[in-house]
Amino acid sequence: MNIINEMHLKFISKSTNEGFARSVVSTFILELDPTINEIADIKTAVSEAVTNSIVHGYKRESGMIYIDAKITQNKKVIIKIRDKGVGIENVEKAMEPLFTTSQQEERAGLGFTVMQSFMDNVKVKSAPNKGTTVTLEKQIISVR
Amino acid sequence: MLDTKYKNDILTIKLKGEIDHNSASSLRTAIDSQINALRPKILELDFSGVGFMDSSGIGLIMGRYRSMGLIGGKIKVINVPENIGRIISLSGISALGVLK
């Protein structure tokens, strides 16, 4: 895998940073000349992962969220979103459509479903008190 | 902040900008206060001015579906732009009969 560009971002788990994070990532991939739909897919998937870190990973506490993004020579985007929060006990359960642990906050339980539908590949690495790392991959085709 | 119109028991609220976890909570409070004040028969949520929406927007729609159900009313989601149409169809909320 030949990496032609990469970036690293570190920010506090504040909900105002959700928009900041997805904007940075979508701007970073512009060199691949993505379509509007490809940009929207990536923005939405990043927003879901960052929101999960804020709402579930750190809950009401404050912590750092890390994004590492890479672009390969064959136009693949690899985005890693990582937190050092509470982690997920049962990743398989968390990834089920409509499963949510925060009913009061009106979470739809669709975060992982959206990531899986909008990206080519989604990997989740997590353990209780070890934080969570979500890796998102998408091949940019830019066919208009 | 919200662009609202109330006529013939229909409350129309035009949403603008980006809907995410950050903006959804204030939208929820603002919409519910209008629902409680006016008790409309139909709530129309107009998405024509929404440039971005993640699953927080789905939570917002489902929550208002419940708020309207509590007062015996209905909700309609109107003018969905193409860029957010995919997340709406993925969510399965069309099964609730909210899409116009």
Side-chain angles (χ1 to χ4, degrees), chain A residues 85-102:
Chain A
V86 297
I88 305 168
E89 204 171 299
N90 187 339
V91 172
E92 213 176 311
K93 182 92 189 153
M95 291 180 87
E96 275 175 20
L98 307 177
F99 176 82
T100 181
T101 52
S102 35

Side-chain angles (χ1 to χ4, degrees), chain A residues 15-16 18-19 22 37 41 43-44 47-48 51 54-55 104-108 110-111 113-114 117-118, chain B residues 18 20-23 28 32 52-56 58-60 62-64 66 82-83 86-87 90-91:
Chain A
S15 64
T16 45
E18 292 154 8
R22 63 176 179 261
N37 279 339
D41 287 355
K43 263 181 120 166
T44 312
S47 197
E48 300 293 349
T51 302
I54 294 171
V55 175
Q104 283 106 327
E105 276 217 61
E106 289 190 349
R107 306 302 307 157
L110 289 172
T113 308
V114 168
S117 308
F118 289 4
Chain B
E18 307 207 321
D20 61 7
H21 161 251
N22 181 47
S23 63
R28 168 171 51 168
D32 280 351
F52 171 85
M53 184 175 105
D54 65 17
S55 69
S56 309
I58 303 298
L60 184 75
M62 288 181 0
R64 305 301 64 71
R66 278 184 224 114
E82 201 195 325
N83 60 322
R86 280 187 60 208
I87 194 162
L90 174 73
S91 72

Side-chain angles (χ1 to χ4, degrees), chain A residues 50-103:
Chain A
V50 170
T51 302
N52 276 350
S53 288
I54 294 171
V55 175
H56 302 289
Y58 292 118
K59 295 199 161 67
R60 275 162 203 91
E61 316 245 301
S62 161
M64 298 310 284
I65 296 171
Y66 307 81
I67 297 184
D68 305 308
K70 287 176 185 167
I71 293 172
T72 70
Q73 197 165 28
N74 57 2
K75 299 183 84 174
K76 196 176 180 182
V77 180
I78 304 159
I79 307 154
K80 210 176 257 191
I81 295 133
R82 186 162 54 92
D83 67 61
K84 294 178 178 172
V86 297
I88 305 168
E89 204 171 299
N90 187 339
V91 172
E92 213 176 311
K93 182 92 189 153
M95 291 180 87
E96 275 175 20
L98 307 177
F99 176 82
T100 181
T101 52
S102 35
Q103 236 102 26

Side-chain angles (χ1 to χ4, degrees), chain B residues 39 65-73:
Chain B
R39 302 182 73 82
Y65 175 81
R66 278 184 224 114
S67 314
M68 286 304 290
L70 289 175
I71 60 160

